Amino acid sequence: MKSLWLENNRIDLRDVQEPRKLNEALIKIRKAGICSTDLELVKGYYPYTGILGHEFIGEVVAADDSSWIGQRVVGEINVVCNECEQCLNGRLTHCEKRTVLGIVNRDGTFAEFTQLPITNLHRVPDSVPDEMAVFTEPLAAALEIQAQINIKPNERVLLIGAGRLGQLIAQTLALTGCDLRVVARHAQQQNLLKARGIKIIGEEEIQPWRWDVVVEATGSPGGFALARKAIRPRGTLVMKSTYKGELSVNFSSIVVDEINLIGSRCGPFEPALRLMESRQIDPTVLIAEEFNLDEALKAFERAAETGVLKVLVQT
Ligand SMILES: [Zn+2]
Ligand SMILES: [Zn+2]
C-alpha cells in the first residue's frame, strides 16, 4: 500500500506491506489531518521512524468483532497494555508501555490503511461528515483542559495562540461562558475567532496578574513568558503545547505566586464527537487545503507555511 514514510528527518512516499496484526482492526483511511506534531517529528524533535499521521477518519474493513466492519470510525492514538501501574490505576493515556499512532513505535495514518485495537475506536455519527470527524483527535485534546480543570463562567480566561489547536481550544472554552480573550498573531486566525464572536486581545493590552486561567498553546518561550506574566496569584496555567528543548523559567516566582501548572495532552473522544454532531463546534473552518495521498509531500510543504491551519490528506 501507499504510505508517507518518515526516516532520518526525511519524508517520502513508500510502498509498504499492508498492516495485518492479529487482535486489531484494519482500517481504510478516508481522510487524515496534518498537525504540528507531524511537522515537529519531521524536524526530528522526537525520534520516530515509520508512517506518519495520527488524526484520521476511516472505515473498518477487517475486525474480529464483525459488527465493526463497514463502520466509519475515529481512533484514540494511545495503544495501552492494561497491565502497568498507570493502566491499572486508570491513567490509560500514560501507559508505560504505550505505542502511539504515528508518533511512538506504531505506523500512522498517512497511508491507505492503518490498524488499531477495537477498544481504541469510536463510531462516527452519520450526521458528522468526514471533513469534520477528522478533527476528533485534536478537538478531544482541546477538551482535555475541561476534563482537568473546572472553568467557571465568571472567570477571566486568556488563551495564547490561535493556530490549529488554539482555534479548537478557543471554540471549546467559549462554550463555558467564561470571559475569554485570545492572542492571535495572524489576520486569518483573528477573523475565524471574530466570526464566532470570540474576542481577541493584543499582547500589549494584557494586564499582568489579572487572569484566573491562562492557556499556553504556542509552545514558544515567548508564549510561556506572556502566560506567566498574565496569570494572577493562585491562578491556573495550562500548558497545552510541547516545547523544543529546555524552557528556562523563574520557578521561585511561580512558588511565591502559588501558581497551578497543568500539563495537558490527549483528551476524551466522545464529547468531541457530540459537540460536532450538535454543531456547537465547527472545526471545518480551519481547513486550508486538501491533497491526495500521492501529493502528501506537497501537503506537508503547505502545512509548514506560516499561518496555514489544517491541511488534509485523502486516500
Ligand atoms: Zn496531533
Ligand atoms: Zn500500561
Side-chain angles (χ1 to χ4, degrees):
M1 66 169 185
K2 276 181 286 184
S3 73
L4 184 73
W5 188 268
L6 171 66
E7 192 165 340
N8 298 327
N9 299 3
R10 277 182 54 94
I11 42 174
D12 62 87
L13 289 168
R14 231 181 237 200
D15 242 317
V16 299
Q17 231 182 359
E18 264 177 40
R20 50 168 143 163
K21 208 173 181 185
L22 294 173
N23 308 323
E24 294 194 359
L26 182 65
I27 301 153
K28 169 93 182 71
I29 301 294
R30 293 162 72 105
K31 287 185 197 300
I34 301 177
C35 107
S36 305
T37 304
D38 298 314
L39 300 172
E40 288 177 7
L41 285 164
V42 175
K43 287 182 195 156
Y45 296 148
Y46 316 97
Y48 173 69
T49 299
I51 301 170
L52 270 181
H54 55 276
E55 302 177 359
F56 76 97
I57 160 88
E59 183 185 326
V60 178
V61 290
D64 290 347
D65 177 349
S66 61
S67 71
W68 282 87
I69 295 171
Q71 297 285 321
R72 284 167 74 235
V73 295
V74 290
E76 300 199 33
I77 67 175
N78 299 283
V79 178
V80 306
C81 74
N82 287 312
E83 287 171 356
C84 73
E85 169 82 11
Q86 309 309 328
C87 283
L88 292 176
N89 286 285
R91 295 182 287 270
L92 292 177
T93 57
H94 293 276
C95 170
E96 292 165 17
K97 293 179 191 153
R98 69 184 182 268
T99 58
V100 187
L101 191 64
I103 300 174
V104 182
N105 294 329
R106 172 172 284 269
D107 280 330
T109 59
F110 296 121
E112 291 175 71
F113 298 93
T114 197
Q115 61 177 42
L116 277 173
I118 289 282
T119 47
N120 281 57
L121 302 183
H122 297 261
R123 289 183 169 88
V124 176
D126 290 342
S127 64
V128 177
D130 287 354
E131 61 269 26
M132 198 173 257
V134 71
F135 286 90
T136 307
E137 195 275 336
L139 180 55
L143 289 169
E144 176 68 358
I145 297 169
Q146 294 184 55
Q148 292 172 298
I149 63 167
N150 181 10
I151 294 174
K152 300 176 191 74
N154 57 350
E155 282 183 320
R156 298 212 285 185
V157 179
L158 178 68
L159 167 62
I160 302 171
R164 298 175 182 95
L165 183 56
Q167 292 285 333
L168 299 176
I169 296 170
Q171 288 196 24
T172 54
L173 289 178
L175 294 177
T176 67
C178 70
D179 188 6
L180 174 66
R181 296 289 185 283
V182 182
V183 179
R185 282 228 168 125
H186 301 281
Q188 195 217 354
Q189 296 175 348
Q190 296 176 353
N191 291 338
L192 287 176
L193 296 167
K194 285 184 200 159
R196 292 191 71 90
I198 296 171
K199 290 177 180 156
I200 55 175
I201 187 168
E203 286 186 33
E204 64 294 340
E205 297 170 77
I206 295 171
Q207 317 92 311
W209 292 296
R210 288 294 179 274
W211 302 81
D212 301 299
V213 176
V214 180
V215 178
E216 206 297 286
T218 68
S220 70
F224 185 86
L226 185 59
R228 171 66 197 96
K229 196 173 88 179
I231 195 79
R232 66 157 165 83
R234 292 192 181 154
T236 299
L237 201 171
V238 180
M239 301 167 77
K240 200 60 226 184
S241 198
T242 54
Y243 299 86
K244 298 163 206 162
E246 315 251 303
L247 184 65
S248 172
V249 178
N250 179 335
F251 263 99
S252 294
S253 74
I254 287 177
V255 174
V256 171
D257 286 348
E258 299 185 321
I259 304 299
N260 301 298
L261 274 185
I262 309 272
S264 185
R265 184 168 41 92
C266 296
F269 271 47
E270 287 296 326
L273 287 166
R274 280 198 292 276
L275 286 172
M276 291 189 289
E277 189 178 17
S278 63
R279 301 297 191 267
Q280 290 179 84
I281 297 286
D282 180 10
T284 59
V285 294
L286 274 70
I287 299 172
E289 207 170 337
E290 188 163 343
F291 293 83
N292 289 320
L293 182 56
D294 294 329
E295 309 169 302
L297 294 175
K298 241 162 73 182
F300 265 70
E301 276 173 31
R302 180 88 172 101
E305 288 170 21
T306 316
V308 169
L309 294 171
K310 188 60 73 178
V311 175
L312 299 180
V313 174
Q314 63 171 12
T315 52

